[in-house]
Amino acid sequence: MRYRSHRTLATGRTRAADLAEHCSHGPAWTCRRCGSPFPCPAWTEGPIDNQLRTALLPGFLRMAQQAVRDLRGRPGGPTPPEIVQRFLWFVPLTDDEARAVALRVR
């Protein structure tokens, strides 16, 4: 069965409504609801089909671009390729591909 964002969860809420509460923006890039690094497990552990992957790509690519600007160079922080892989978890990227994307989103 294909994933549908409007499917009702066991809690009676829709997945889309639940994800709307798990949001973030720079400069720390942590989830406002659960405090995990964004995108948090509420985003990354759900099923992703090709339709959803296509819908998520533009927004998460923009967020990855901003996150690279906000997070790079922080002591003990992630590298730009790690940030790209974090924000584009739903796209299978090798380390070299993530590095190439990171160079373009700066």
Side-chain angles (χ1 to χ4, degrees):
M1 179 180 230
R2 290 171 54 178
Y3 170 78
R4 303 263 186 226
S5 63
H6 64 275
R7 181 183 295 166
T8 302
L9 302 173
T11 60
R13 296 171 50 89
T14 64
R15 176 144 168 83
D18 187 54
L19 287 175
E21 293 180 7
H22 289 270
C23 60
S24 179
H25 65 290
W29 293 98
T30 56
C31 177
R32 290 181 184 168
R33 182 167 181 208
C34 66
S36 298
F38 188 82
C40 66
W43 280 96
T44 61
E45 293 177 359
I48 304 285
D49 64 12
N50 285 336
Q51 183 179 4
L52 184 57
R53 185 176 290 114
T54 301
L56 292 176
L57 189 58
F60 275 89
L61 188 55
R62 281 190 299 277
M63 283 189 270
Q65 182 177 22
Q66 187 60 47
V68 165
R69 291 180 187 138
D70 291 341
L71 297 174
R72 75 171 171 228
R74 288 189 178 187
T79 64
E82 289 170 337
I83 296 166
V84 167
Q85 287 180 322
R86 174 175 147 185
F87 279 80
L88 301 181
W89 81 95
F90 55 92
V91 178
L93 294 171
T94 66
D95 290 344
D96 288 337
E97 291 167 333
R99 195 172 355 276
V101 171
L103 289 172
R104 292 183 180 190
V105 298
R106 288 184 178 186

